[in-house]
Amino acid sequence: MKLTVYPGNLHGSVHAPPSKSHTHRAYMLAALAEGTSRVQSPLFGEDTNATLDAVQALGAEVEVSGDTVTIRGGNLHAAADVIDCKNSGSSIRMLAGIAAGLAGKTAFTGDASLCKRPMRPLLSALEALGAKVEANNGCAPFSITGPAAGEEVAIQGDISSQFISALLLGAPLSPSGRTIRLTTELASRPYVNMTISAMKKHGVDVLETDDGFVVPAGQHYTPADGIVSGDYSSAAFILAAGALTGKVTVTGLEEHDPQGDKAVLDILARFGAKVSRTGDAVTVECGKLSGIEVDLSDAPDLFPIIAVVGCAAEGTTRLFGAAHLAFKESNRLQTTAAFLSAMGADIEATDDGCIIRGGRPLHGAEIETKGDHRIAMAGAVAALTAEGDTIIDDISCADVSYPAFVSDLQKLGGNTA
């Protein structure tokens, strides 16, 4: 569905959508736990719905009532039918780690984009632990036959944090526990921290070592109820719009949440925006923006929207540390540079980020999202500052993580058609 966005300023308050990352983990851990868990206020988006369907296919009992999902887990088994993870990398990777711990064969697939995303390092690690893997050139579709009962595995940490989370989540299914040794630095560490924190809530401890992690033997997941907190990754688009065009408040953002994309607050303040917090409410107001350098190795999903802010900042902005963005829903390094260049920005993609010579006025353009939700939302925010009309070729892809994005934009005064 196309969306036309007209220039304008945003003012007002909206509530952050529930965290996609927390929702994935809550569903999976509830399914692994022996008993009943209630997940309150989860994100009902395309990616998280794929995870919910998958845990049902693996044997969990699921009941949805309003904004509460009740999951009775603990007796998981290999899925009888192929699990379709649609466009969700989090789903297919972390569920693969769980499936490897189950007896029998589970097959996975996804849409055309997901079937191009790299899986080989994780699949090789699961094979090293004893699972049988049948894969299509290291990508989906693939099948995993478990159980994988190996005690130790080595894997690169700089390709995807989801690989490490997958190995951690499946570790308690092995009677011998698991040692995970990282052969490189760990990218996107906050996402692994989120996994470890969620596992602890369900009764499983993870120990950190000098070169990785250990999940001691003899642990079992226990049920736990929880409320899914607001998503800093999605809120970043609205907060950045405030930094560019007016003054906005986003509520529902817990101050001590381990989400890595909480870094957006510090980044916007460094650019020169006015950032303040009262409880779980964060307010961002536009100010005089100046170019900065930003290491996004722990918060790569912020790249498209921070690049938009960089275009409005006087001077040079350099974003780096996000080489693995080449393997997201689109090659976000290239896709971001392409749509901002089409709008008149002076931006150059690099191997791990971009260089922006900011302060040039943007103009309307037709933005090709490549089906990437973060490109669609970043493009809509950029359009607020551009001269003329901007057309987003497919705003519906924002439903993956922020189904209310357009309505929230309109609520704050955004003019769209």
Side-chain angles (χ1 to χ4, degrees):
M1 181 184 73
K2 290 187 177 182
L3 179 75
T4 301
V5 183
Y6 306 99
N9 297 328
L10 301 189
H11 296 275
S13 176
V14 295
H15 192 77
S19 165
K20 181 161 74 83
S21 296
H22 280 315
T23 300
H24 281 306
R25 289 161 175 77
Y27 287 165
M28 293 180 199
L29 288 163
L32 286 162
E34 299 176 2
T36 299
S37 301
R38 279 164 287 276
V39 183
Q40 296 180 10
S41 300
L43 176 68
F44 292 106
E46 292 179 6
D47 280 12
T48 53
N49 288 344
T51 291
L52 193 60
D53 290 342
V55 298
Q56 286 184 277
L58 291 171
E61 298 179 27
V62 174
E63 179 183 341
V64 180
S65 178
D67 68 348
T68 299
V69 176
T70 301
I71 299 177
R72 285 173 286 278
N75 295 306
L76 301 189
H77 53 71
D81 298 319
V82 177
I83 293 177
D84 185 354
C85 292
K86 307 294 176 59
N87 191 235
S88 178
S90 297
S91 302
I92 201 167
R93 288 167 169 169
M94 291 193 282
L95 288 165
I98 293 170
L102 306 175
K105 180 177 180 178
T106 300
F108 293 87
T109 191
D111 66 11
S113 173
L114 188 62
C115 288
K116 295 178 182 177
R117 296 177 69 176
M119 289 287 299
R120 187 183 299 279
L122 174 60
L123 297 179
S124 296
L126 295 175
E127 282 187 308
L129 287 168
K132 178 183 177 183
V133 175
E134 299 172 74
N136 177 25
N137 195 30
C139 299
F142 61 85
S143 65
I144 297 175
T145 303
E151 297 181 21
E152 184 171 345
V153 67
I155 188 172
Q156 288 178 248
D158 59 353
I159 299 177
S160 173
S161 64
Q162 293 166 356
F163 296 165
I164 315 307
S165 288
L167 295 171
L168 288 169
L169 288 168
L173 299 178
S174 170
S176 303
R178 181 169 296 166
T179 297
I180 302 167
R181 185 169 58 82
L182 303 181
T183 59
T184 65
E185 291 293 319
L186 177 59
S188 303
R189 173 176 284 273
Y191 287 98
V192 174
N193 291 343
M194 289 174 67
T195 300
I196 293 171
S197 176
M199 290 172 66
K200 186 174 182 62
K201 290 178 182 177
H202 283 270
V204 171
D205 289 322
V206 178
L207 309 179
E208 187 165 358
T209 65
D210 290 340
D211 63 350
F213 304 94
V214 172
V215 181
Q219 299 189 87
H220 302 280
Y221 289 116
T222 55
D225 296 342
I227 301 173
V228 177
S229 57
D231 196 334
Y232 279 91
S233 303
S234 295
F237 296 95
I238 301 298
L239 296 172
L244 293 169
T245 70
K247 182 179 181 180
V248 301
T249 297
V250 180
T251 60
L253 297 173
E254 292 185 10
E255 184 173 4
H256 301 294
D257 194 294
Q259 294 178 57
D261 286 351
K262 184 169 59 177
V264 67
L265 307 183
D266 175 65
I267 294 169
L268 293 177
R270 288 176 56 211
F271 270 116
K274 301 170 186 176
V275 179
S276 60
R277 174 189 286 278
T278 303
D280 72 350
V282 175
T283 298
V284 176
E285 184 176 0
C286 62
K288 180 177 174 55
L289 305 181
S290 300
I292 59 174
E293 293 199 351
V294 185
D295 181 353
L296 289 172
S297 56
D298 282 341
D301 284 341
L302 294 178
F303 176 80
I305 191 58
I306 296 305
V308 171
V309 178
C311 290
E314 292 289 340
T316 300
T317 290
R318 184 171 79 95
L319 310 183
F320 62 95
H324 46 299
L325 286 179
F327 305 106
K328 291 288 189 176
E329 286 85 338
S330 69
N331 180 335
R332 284 191 185 145
L333 302 173
Q334 298 294 333
T335 313
T336 300
F339 90 75
L340 286 170
S341 292
M343 299 182 78
D346 185 350
I347 178 172
E348 173 189 351
T350 64
D351 290 342
D352 68 343
C354 68
I355 297 172
I356 304 165
R357 288 163 282 275
R360 295 177 54 169
L362 301 183
H363 57 73
E366 182 158 352
I367 294 177
E368 187 177 0
T369 64
K370 303 287 189 180
D372 190 325
H373 56 128
R374 301 198 191 280
I375 299 300
M377 292 186 284
V381 173
L384 298 170
T385 71
E387 181 180 347
D389 307 345
T390 299
I391 299 173
I392 313 296
D393 73 346
D394 180 19
I395 196 62
S396 63
C397 61
D399 291 347
V400 164
S401 57
Y402 195 165
F405 174 71
V406 174
S407 60
D408 279 355
L409 204 66
Q410 294 168 340
K411 180 180 178 181
L412 293 168
N415 188 5
T416 68

